[in-house]
Amino acid sequence: MRFEDLLLEIGGRFQILILAVLCLLRINLPMHFLLHNFLAAIPSHHCAIPHQEAFVNLTMEEVLLISIPRKPDGTFSSCEMFSQPQFHLLLNSSLQPENKSIIQHCQHGWVYDHSQFTSTISTQWDLVCEQRGLNQATATFFFIGVTMGAMVFGYLSDRFDPSQAAPLGPQFHKKNSTNMWPSLRLKSHGEDSRAMYMGQKPCSSNRSCLISFTCRWVPESARWLIAKGKVKQAHRHLHMFFFSHFLPEGFPSVPSPPAPCRFGVAFSYYGMSMNLTGFGLNIYLSQFVFGIIEIPAKMVMYVLVNRVGRRQSQAWTLILTGLCIGANIVIPKPFTSLRSAVAIMAKGFSEAAFTTVYLYTSELYPTILRQNGMGYTSFMARLGGALAPLVFLLDEAWRSLPEVTYCGVAVCSGAVAFLLPETLNVRLPEGIEDIEKPQ
């Protein structure tokens, strides 16, 4: 009897219990990944203007008028100022300075609009204008930490059981939980219920105690134990939950390739998730809408992956993500409602692709290599997540270049997904020989 048959024999109560316990560990994980949108938010700002006696009888609007050049859309520049006050603009504000040499970068810091954000790292450290790249780099540094966690704990989870490796370092676990727990859940589910776990894909720093406490009720992966030749220990853990069942005598002792689409999925997903401005919505409302759209996206994918298959679902969700991002490139800026609707659709498709890739990637690896493989593919995903914030800086070369990049990567990744094998209704490979022989 194979392990899949045993899971079907003992029923679904075991899988539901594990799913419920592990859900507690996932609730606030997205807060870490999306916190950059608010901690590093850049409010409206302009160059600080030193006080002069000549400004005594002028309003603030008039001081800005003679001190800050205007952009083509009529708003004041955020990064430039006049070297000397241009008092003639008080007579005719439509005039433009003929001598561009009087325009210089901000010399005395910046003044920020605090109506929405009291303080962010951008306002505290002046990470704007020439220092804008450092602002985006803070998100990249976070994903570098996530990448290191994926590499370290991917290895540890193959040497030790995932449920034991997880609490070894709560803060490292925070970085790696996106690739450790999917594998642990997958190992505890049979063919018919594997798709159920993917809805747990991450929907704060004080998680450490919760992780260590909850892991006491997470059993070691029986599939992992069997793959390591620890059949008696696997039997003990299964018997702990189901006293009326036993491990058949003929149960085999199983001896002890790819990172598909993970880069493109993470790259486009975080490219969408970290771009909350430009759609005419409040940043908090944008975050709410971008988050709420993930719920129907997960529900739809739960049906699709079992109807049309993993490969088709993965490929088309990525391609549609790219097409929606590309559509917003050509839709004029004044059409804010249409642009917002298309962006929400892109976020939904992106979430659908992310939801699918957790299940699909796990099913492509044999049990003996699954956690290690998930670590490698998670490395590629975090690389995509690390590069996604930096791509926003390409707008200095061409305003639409970031969107073109996200669009191109998503569409190409979706096309690559067609080259992968289908895993719908296929038993999970438990050893290298299961991959090499036809299903």
Side-chain angles (χ1 to χ4, degrees), residues 37-67:
N37 288 336
F38 303 95
L39 286 180
I42 301 179
S44 300
H45 57 280
H46 60 77
C47 297
I49 305 169
H51 177 72
Q52 297 184 25
E53 292 295 333
F55 297 165
V56 173
N57 297 321
L58 299 180
T59 64
M60 179 53 65
E61 184 69 20
E62 290 174 332
V63 171
L64 292 177
L65 180 63
I66 64 177
S67 303

Side-chain angles (χ1 to χ4, degrees), residues 166-290:
L168 289 178
Q171 294 303 320
F172 277 99
H173 168 273
K174 173 178 67 180
K175 309 300 186 188
N176 183 60
S177 56
T178 52
N179 76 288
M180 180 184 297
W181 293 118
S183 181
L184 179 58
R185 292 195 302 269
L186 193 72
K187 294 172 182 176
S188 302
H189 286 69
E191 289 177 25
D192 296 335
S193 61
R194 290 203 300 254
M196 179 175 65
Y197 94 91
M198 71 181 183
Q200 260 200 78
K201 203 267 317 167
C203 296
S204 351
S205 294
N206 59 348
R207 301 179 67 240
S208 305
C209 294
L210 176 64
I211 292 168
S212 299
F213 183 75
T214 310
C215 284
R216 291 176 176 270
W217 285 276
V218 180
E220 293 183 354
S221 168
R223 188 190 299 274
W224 180 87
L225 292 170
I226 294 169
K228 292 294 185 180
K230 302 178 181 180
V231 180
K232 292 184 178 180
Q233 193 173 351
H235 173 240
R236 185 167 63 252
H237 281 277
L238 289 172
H239 186 70
M240 177 176 63
F241 286 91
F242 302 94
F243 299 101
S244 60
H245 296 274
F246 60 90
L247 195 65
E249 294 180 1
F251 200 95
S253 178
V254 182
S256 339
C261 307
R262 289 294 295 271
F263 177 90
V265 169
F267 186 79
S268 57
Y269 178 86
Y270 289 109
M272 289 294 304
S273 300
M274 294 182 178
N275 183 22
L276 299 181
T277 60
F279 303 112
L281 298 177
N282 176 279
I283 186 173
Y284 299 104
L285 180 59
S286 296
Q287 182 64 71
F288 175 79
V289 174
F290 273 26

